[in-house]
Amino acid sequence: GAGVSQSPSNKVTEKGKDVELRCDPISGHTALYWYRQRLGQGLEFLIYFQGNSAPDKSGLPSDRFSAERTGESVSTLTIQRTQQEDSAVYLCASSPGAGSGNTIYFGEGSWLTVV
Amino acid sequence: AQSVTQLDSQVPVFEEAPVELRCNYSSSVSVYLFWYVQYPNQGLQLLLKYLSGSTLVESINGFEAEFNKSQTSFHLRKPSVHISDTAEYFCAVTPTPAGNKLTFGGGTRVLVKP
């Protein structure tokens, strides 16, 4: 597709379950980012990929959170043993490269609700 | 590390009135600056960005922002708003020249009233 695609768009899960969120970046974009947006708050950086490696994972809030990227394309964000405070919109973004002048394009997000 | 402060969480404004959204940042290194907009039920879209050159940058839909290095600000303005400008606006920075992540402000929700 033409833009960053995320799935699922909405996910309701029970506390303690694991969830996987998927991101398909724009074709050819080597840089991929995950952000989290809690209700009424700004965006929090989670992790950054350049190719398949993650040089910056400083924003992952705990060891329950992990992410991987394969084939310099699709990325999966996994949250294990979900907690209610994990409820948020998880936004994926991509850009043509790591240079900070590059425009970063965002997907529409995956809404996660932990009940 | 960088931080971004958007002083107004909500800005109600009447249609055809001007609006200014304030953004201040803190950084120990040079930064690039961005404004993103999030329309209801849509993803974030880049509105405009400052990389270098003229400190006044404009978007295609009438918004402009001015980079003020001495005041570490990047305020967003529009002289006459439309109903369709109702959205949440986010200011963001990234370090130059090889920054790899955006640091966002908390957002300003603009509600344009008829």
Side-chain angles (χ1 to χ4, degrees):
Chain A
V4 178
S5 177
Q6 294 187 245
S7 61
S9 55
N10 282 284
K11 175 74 175 178
V12 180
T13 190
E14 292 181 352
K15 179 181 172 181
K17 300 282 190 184
D18 297 351
V19 295
E20 283 190 352
L21 307 177
R22 177 188 168 104
C23 173
D24 281 278
I26 293 172
S27 177
H29 281 193
T30 60
L32 185 146
Y33 312 79
W34 283 98
Y35 285 82
R36 178 171 71 176
Q37 185 178 18
R38 287 178 163 149
L39 188 64
Q41 298 185 24
L43 282 78
E44 305 170 69
F45 168 80
L46 298 179
I47 188 170
Y48 154 68
F49 286 92
Q50 179 56 39
N52 292 336
S53 62
D56 189 348
K57 50 181 81 171
S58 61
L60 293 177
S62 75
D63 59 7
R64 295 187 296 105
F65 287 73
S66 63
E68 64 176 17
R69 188 180 185 194
T70 57
E72 297 197 352
S73 179
V74 171
S75 176
T76 302
L77 177 69
T78 302
I79 309 173
Q80 295 178 309
R81 306 181 302 282
T82 52
Q83 304 294 313
Q84 288 185 331
E85 63 262 27
D86 299 335
S87 295
V89 179
Y90 289 83
L91 291 163
C92 179
S94 70
S95 69
S100 53
N102 287 309
T103 297
I104 296 178
Y105 297 85
F106 284 83
E108 294 191 1
S110 291
W111 290 76
L112 176 65
T113 304
V114 181
V115 297
Chain B
Q2 291 74 45
S3 66
V4 179
T5 302
Q6 292 182 242
L7 295 169
D8 306 298
S9 59
Q10 291 190 66
V11 174
V13 57
F14 286 106
E15 194 173 17
E16 298 183 3
V19 70
E20 179 178 76
L21 309 183
R22 294 177 290 171
C23 172
N24 288 86
Y25 70 93
S26 173
S27 176
S28 57
V29 299
S30 296
V31 294
Y32 292 146
L33 301 110
F34 305 80
W35 276 98
Y36 278 82
V37 59
Q38 188 173 31
Y39 297 106
N41 302 314
Q42 295 186 28
L44 280 162
Q45 303 173 32
L46 179 68
L47 188 60
L48 48 76
K49 63 182 178 182
Y50 172 77
L51 304 182
S52 64
S54 172
T55 56
L56 183 66
V57 290
E58 298 178 353
S59 72
I60 58 173
N61 57 354
F63 282 92
E64 64 179 27
E66 186 159 21
F67 170 51
N68 188 318
K69 188 174 182 179
S70 63
Q71 297 186 6
T72 61
S73 68
F74 192 53
H75 301 332
L76 181 70
R77 293 185 289 264
K78 187 170 185 179
S80 176
V81 295
H82 301 135
I83 295 288
S84 59
D85 293 323
T86 293
E88 188 152 21
Y89 294 80
F90 293 92
C91 182
V93 301
T94 189
T96 73
N100 54 43
K101 66 186 182 188
L102 291 166
T103 299
F104 284 87
T108 299
R109 193 174 299 273
V110 173
L111 176 60
V112 181
K113 303 176 180 180

PDB file of all heavy atoms in Angstrom, chain A residues 14-26:
ATOM      1  N   GLU A  14      -7.714  -9.403  27.556  1.00  0.00           N
ATOM      2  CA  GLU A  14      -7.811  -9.538  29.004  1.00  0.00           C
ATOM      3  C   GLU A  14      -6.439  -9.354  29.635  1.00  0.00           C
ATOM      4  O   GLU A  14      -5.418  -9.773  29.074  1.00  0.00           O
ATOM      5  CB  GLU A  14      -8.370 -10.912  29.367  1.00  0.00           C
ATOM      6  CG  GLU A  14      -9.821 -11.114  28.979  1.00  0.00           C
ATOM      7  CD  GLU A  14     -10.329 -12.488  29.379  1.00  0.00           C
ATOM      8  OE1 GLU A  14      -9.517 -13.323  29.820  1.00  0.00           O
ATOM      9  OE2 GLU A  14     -11.540 -12.712  29.242  1.00  0.00           O
ATOM     10  N   LYS A  15      -6.454  -8.760  30.807  1.00  0.00           N
ATOM     11  CA  LYS A  15      -5.224  -8.592  31.569  1.00  0.00           C
ATOM     12  C   LYS A  15      -4.505  -9.927  31.697  1.00  0.00           C
ATOM     13  O   LYS A  15      -5.126 -10.955  31.973  1.00  0.00           O
ATOM     14  CB  LYS A  15      -5.571  -8.035  32.947  1.00  0.00           C
ATOM     15  CG  LYS A  15      -4.397  -7.830  33.876  1.00  0.00           C
ATOM     16  CD  LYS A  15      -4.886  -7.284  35.220  1.00  0.00           C
ATOM     17  CE  LYS A  15      -3.754  -7.246  36.228  1.00  0.00           C
ATOM     18  NZ  LYS A  15      -4.215  -6.742  37.545  1.00  0.00           N
ATOM     19  N   GLY A  16      -3.199  -9.887  31.442  1.00  0.00           N
ATOM     20  CA  GLY A  16      -2.393 -11.090  31.560  1.00  0.00           C
ATOM     21  C   GLY A  16      -2.149 -11.826  30.250  1.00  0.00           C
ATOM     22  O   GLY A  16      -1.244 -12.670  30.165  1.00  0.00           O
ATOM     23  N   LYS A  17      -2.933 -11.494  29.225  1.00  0.00           N
ATOM     24  CA  LYS A  17      -2.739 -12.125  27.916  1.00  0.00           C
ATOM     25  C   LYS A  17      -1.615 -11.426  27.156  1.00  0.00           C
ATOM     26  O   LYS A  17      -1.273 -10.273  27.425  1.00  0.00           O
ATOM     27  CB  LYS A  17      -4.024 -12.030  27.088  1.00  0.00           C
ATOM     28  CG  LYS A  17      -5.220 -12.704  27.716  1.00  0.00           C
ATOM     29  CD  LYS A  17      -5.183 -14.195  27.536  1.00  0.00           C
ATOM     30  CE  LYS A  17      -6.521 -14.816  27.973  1.00  0.00           C
ATOM     31  NZ  LYS A  17      -6.485 -16.290  27.898  1.00  0.00           N
ATOM     32  N   ASP A  18      -1.068 -12.131  26.171  1.00  0.00           N
ATOM     33  CA  ASP A  18      -0.061 -11.532  25.287  1.00  0.00           C
ATOM     34  C   ASP A  18      -0.744 -10.983  24.034  1.00  0.00           C
ATOM     35  O   ASP A  18      -1.745 -11.539  23.568  1.00  0.00           O
ATOM     36  CB  ASP A  18       0.953 -12.587  24.852  1.00  0.00           C
ATOM     37  CG  ASP A  18       1.750 -13.161  26.019  1.00  0.00           C
ATOM     38  OD1 ASP A  18       1.633 -12.623  27.153  1.00  0.00           O
ATOM     39  OD2 ASP A  18       2.487 -14.136  25.790  1.00  0.00           O
ATOM     40  N   VAL A  19      -0.199  -9.893  23.497  1.00  0.00           N
ATOM     41  CA  VAL A  19      -0.726  -9.340  22.243  1.00  0.00           C
ATOM     42  C   VAL A  19       0.421  -9.071  21.279  1.00  0.00           C
ATOM     43  O   VAL A  19       1.549  -8.789  21.694  1.00  0.00           O
ATOM     44  CB  VAL A  19      -1.531  -8.041  22.452  1.00  0.00           C
ATOM     45  CG1 VAL A  19      -2.766  -8.307  23.263  1.00  0.00           C
ATOM     46  CG2 VAL A  19      -0.686  -6.962  23.062  1.00  0.00           C
ATOM     47  N   GLU A  20       0.104  -9.171  19.999  1.00  0.00           N
ATOM     48  CA  GLU A  20       1.058  -8.837  18.943  1.00  0.00           C
ATOM     49  C   GLU A  20       0.436  -7.784  18.042  1.00  0.00           C
ATOM     50  O   GLU A  20      -0.701  -7.934  17.593  1.00  0.00           O
ATOM     51  CB  GLU A  20       1.399 -10.072  18.108  1.00  0.00           C
ATOM     52  CG  GLU A  20       2.352 -11.027  18.774  1.00  0.00           C
ATOM     53  CD  GLU A  20       2.839 -12.095  17.801  1.00  0.00           C
ATOM     54  OE1 GLU A  20       2.324 -12.171  16.667  1.00  0.00           O
ATOM     55  OE2 GLU A  20       3.737 -12.864  18.198  1.00  0.00           O
ATOM     56  N   LEU A  21       1.190  -6.745  17.775  1.00  0.00           N
ATOM     57  CA  LEU A  21       0.750  -5.667  16.901  1.00  0.00           C
ATOM     58  C   LEU A  21       1.699  -5.647  15.703  1.00  0.00           C
ATOM     59  O   LEU A  21       2.914  -5.714  15.862  1.00  0.00           O
ATOM     60  CB  LEU A  21       0.781  -4.331  17.642  1.00  0.00           C
ATOM     61  CG  LEU A  21       0.028  -4.299  18.971  1.00  0.00           C
ATOM     62  CD1 LEU A  21       0.205  -2.929  19.654  1.00  0.00           C
ATOM     63  CD2 LEU A  21      -1.445  -4.592  18.778  1.00  0.00           C
ATOM     64  N   ARG A  22       1.101  -5.502  14.519  1.00  0.00           N
ATOM     65  CA  ARG A  22       1.896  -5.616  13.299  1.00  0.00           C
ATOM     66  C   ARG A  22       1.975  -4.280  12.570  1.00  0.00           C
ATOM     67  O   ARG A  22       1.014  -3.506  12.575  1.00  0.00           O
ATOM     68  CB  ARG A  22       1.255  -6.654  12.376  1.00  0.00           C
ATOM     69  CG  ARG A  22       1.919  -6.827  11.034  1.00  0.00           C
ATOM     70  CD  ARG A  22       1.097  -7.735  10.123  1.00  0.00           C
ATOM     71  NE  ARG A  22       1.561  -7.682   8.747  1.00  0.00           N
ATOM     72  CZ  ARG A  22       2.274  -8.636   8.170  1.00  0.00           C
ATOM     73  NH1 ARG A  22       2.625  -9.724   8.839  1.00  0.00           N
ATOM     74  NH2 ARG A  22       2.653  -8.516   6.907  1.00  0.00           N
ATOM     75  N   CYS A  23       3.113  -4.057  11.936  1.00  0.00           N
ATOM     76  CA  CYS A  23       3.315  -2.835  11.161  1.00  0.00           C
ATOM     77  C   CYS A  23       3.951  -3.169   9.818  1.00  0.00           C
ATOM     78  O   CYS A  23       4.992  -3.844   9.769  1.00  0.00           O
ATOM     79  CB  CYS A  23       4.207  -1.859  11.919  1.00  0.00           C
ATOM     80  SG  CYS A  23       4.679  -0.394  10.964  1.00  0.00           S
ATOM     81  N   ASP A  24       3.326  -2.684   8.749  1.00  0.00           N
ATOM     82  CA  ASP A  24       3.904  -2.761   7.415  1.00  0.00           C
ATOM     83  C   ASP A  24       4.331  -1.363   7.003  1.00  0.00           C
ATOM     84  O   ASP A  24       3.461  -0.510   6.747  1.00  0.00           O
ATOM     85  CB  ASP A  24       2.881  -3.295   6.408  1.00  0.00           C
ATOM     86  CG  ASP A  24       2.734  -4.785   6.470  1.00  0.00           C
ATOM     87  OD1 ASP A  24       3.573  -5.461   5.863  1.00  0.00           O
ATOM     88  OD2 ASP A  24       1.806  -5.252   7.140  1.00  0.00           O
ATOM     89  N   PRO A  25       5.611  -1.096   6.918  1.00  0.00           N
ATOM     90  CA  PRO A  25       6.050   0.265   6.591  1.00  0.00           C
ATOM     91  C   PRO A  25       5.879   0.547   5.103  1.00  0.00           C
ATOM     92  O   PRO A  25       5.540  -0.347   4.312  1.00  0.00           O
ATOM     93  CB  PRO A  25       7.529   0.238   6.960  1.00  0.00           C
ATOM     94  CG  PRO A  25       7.934  -1.180   6.704  1.00  0.00           C
ATOM     95  CD  PRO A  25       6.743  -2.008   7.094  1.00  0.00           C
ATOM     96  N   ILE A  26       6.108   1.784   4.738  1.00  0.00           N
ATOM     97  CA  ILE A  26       6.105   2.155   3.334  1.00  0.00           C
ATOM     98  C   ILE A  26       7.251   1.414   2.639  1.00  0.00           C
ATOM     99  O   ILE A  26       8.376   1.354   3.176  1.00  0.00           O
ATOM    100  CB  ILE A  26       6.238   3.676   3.175  1.00  0.00           C
ATOM    101  CG1 ILE A  26       4.976   4.359   3.718  1.00  0.00           C
ATOM    102  CG2 ILE A  26       6.483   4.070   1.722  1.00  0.00           C
ATOM    103  CD1 ILE A  26       5.055   5.874   3.796  1.00  0.00           C
TER     104      ILE A  26
END
